[in-house]
Amino acid sequence: CQQRDADLFDAEGCIGKCRGAIQSGEDSKPRKHSLRLLKTTLKDLYTYPSPYTRLTAIESRLLGEQFKSGEIQYDSVKAVDDAQHHTQTQQQQQQQELYGYASLRQSAQEAAVSSLRTTNALDNHPIQFGCAVQFEDGTIQTSFQTSGLEYGCTLDAVSQMATNVLANMQNGNPAVAVAQADQYGVVHAPFAPARAFLTEHGLEGCKVLVTTHDSCEQGQTSIWRLKWIVAKDLAPNAPAWTNTL
């Protein structure tokens, strides 16, 4: 906490009373928010990491090529098996959901492929990302990553949709689903800046397409599945007041 933020937070919610940010005699001042300490893990804080986590750039590219060639595929067995025990209505809903996987993912992949034609930074960014957002009226808009020489200066694909998403929301046409994929068709959950945008600006209920991984024995390829989640699952324990910023 910094001195300029002292009026926002309860002194009990900061270690050591913010190390001097809250001076003695000021504890009785009315506070707007009370933040409590929480012990957690990085795994819990950053849910649904990229399928390329812990891989080098070369290894990521090779894995993407394997996926593109069909050596690695998203598993659909579970969806088929589950459908056998569902009612006809549930089966129809599931088929629509699976169609949603394909159409939105394809749009995101096409956007990523488009970025390959415009970028000159492939040596530094061998994986390019595209984003597809579906709005309540059924329209889909896309964007792609704008690579920077420094990774931290790269503009991620999902965040670049922020202006369009907010404009549509203000016009009564909110975003209902988001997908981010690379040029190989592998789905990636939004990265940190985009997670903050979605969860802090009234879009925490928006559906997001992610890749899940089943545990496997050492030496075996993990099983990938597509899954719809909601944006708030990407930023657990976010303060309730973030969407009022």
Side-chain angles (χ1 to χ4, degrees), residues 79 81-91 94:
D81 289 344
D82 287 349
Q84 296 176 358
H85 305 288
H86 288 174
T87 66
Q88 183 176 1
T89 300
Q90 289 173 323
Q91 289 181 25
Q94 188 174 60

Side-chain angles (χ1 to χ4, degrees), residues 39-191:
K39 290 185 178 180
T40 185
T41 64
L42 290 176
K43 181 179 179 180
D44 291 333
L45 286 174
Y46 200 84
T47 55
Y48 303 102
S50 167
Y52 301 151
T53 298
R54 298 188 181 90
L55 298 183
T56 66
I58 294 176
E59 290 170 338
S60 297
R61 201 176 216 166
L62 290 174
L63 188 59
E65 292 287 356
Q66 284 182 296
F67 183 88
K68 184 178 179 180
S69 68
E71 294 180 49
I72 300 174
Q73 296 181 350
Y74 281 112
D75 181 58
S76 60
V77 173
K78 185 176 184 296
V80 173
D81 289 344
D82 287 349
Q84 296 176 358
H85 305 288
H86 288 174
T87 66
Q88 183 176 1
T89 300
Q90 289 173 323
Q91 289 181 25
Q92 291 174 346
Q93 291 175 344
Q94 188 174 60
Q95 288 174 352
Q96 291 175 354
E97 190 168 87
L98 290 174
Y99 174 76
Y101 287 162
S103 61
L104 209 60
R105 178 166 68 99
Q106 182 177 358
S107 296
Q109 181 183 1
E110 290 173 352
V113 172
S114 296
S115 73
L116 294 173
R117 306 189 189 104
T118 61
T119 184
N120 58 0
L122 278 180
D123 289 341
N124 293 332
H125 300 269
I127 307 297
Q128 294 292 308
F129 299 93
C131 168
V133 177
Q134 182 174 340
F135 295 90
E136 193 172 65
D137 65 359
T139 59
I140 293 177
Q141 296 183 17
T142 62
S143 62
F144 54 78
Q145 167 184 304
T146 302
S147 301
L149 292 178
E150 298 179 356
Y151 286 113
C153 295
T154 292
L155 305 178
D156 74 89
V158 181
S159 294
Q160 290 195 87
M161 287 296 296
T163 300
N164 287 342
V165 167
L166 292 177
N168 274 274
M169 184 164 61
Q170 291 170 359
N171 292 326
N173 186 33
V176 295
V178 175
Q180 177 176 240
D182 61 33
Q183 70 262 38
Y184 304 112
V186 177
V187 170
H188 302 259
F191 303 129

